[in-house]
Amino acid sequence: MAKEYIEERNGNYYVASTRISLDSIVHAFRRGESPETISQNFELLRLEEVYGAIAYYLANQAEIDAYLIRQNEKWAEGRRNAEPLPADLRERLMRAGNELHTPRAS
């Protein structure tokens, strides 16, 4: 009996029995990350599950690529329709982000 590594829930694809999207695995794979690196970056996934997700993608590449395009369009529409952050909040967030990346003197 073949093991199912991917499941579809509410029109989205996930690694079976997890909340990790197939999108995440595919984007990492397309960036050239090895299955071992992907497994390390998603600590909840076993290497077998990463290989299973990649195999599923490769076996259904046209369908998954079309799905990913639809997902990107949904994200882009969400960004277009989102209310902009208040200027003072955006400024505080930018400062906080810069502080995180600025080395502190010992």
Side-chain angles (χ1 to χ4, degrees):
M1 181 169 90
K3 186 169 184 179
E4 297 294 325
Y5 291 100
I6 300 299
E7 58 191 23
E8 186 177 352
R9 295 189 304 251
N10 301 320
N12 297 304
Y13 293 91
Y14 297 91
V15 176
S17 302
T18 74
R19 292 173 50 187
I20 299 171
S21 70
L22 177 61
D23 310 33
S24 302
I25 306 300
V26 171
H27 289 305
F29 178 69
R30 285 178 168 177
R31 283 192 305 269
E33 292 181 25
S34 70
E36 290 78 10
T37 299
I38 296 169
S39 180
Q40 289 170 354
N41 291 336
F42 291 92
E43 295 176 2
L44 296 175
L45 294 182
R46 297 183 323 273
L47 185 57
E48 172 189 349
E49 293 169 312
V50 174
Y51 273 105
I54 292 169
Y56 182 90
Y57 167 64
L58 293 173
N60 301 282
Q61 193 166 356
E63 176 187 343
I64 299 303
D65 284 346
Y67 160 76
L68 292 173
I69 289 169
R70 290 190 306 274
Q71 291 295 91
N72 285 338
E73 289 169 354
K74 285 181 191 178
W75 279 102
E77 183 173 332
R79 282 191 299 274
R80 282 192 302 272
N81 295 332
E83 301 242 350
L85 289 174
D88 63 324
L89 176 58
R90 184 174 324 129
E91 201 173 297
R92 289 192 329 246
L93 288 171
M94 294 295 286
R95 268 196 316 265
N98 289 336
E99 289 174 11
L100 284 174
H101 299 293
T102 303
R104 294 183 181 193
S106 307

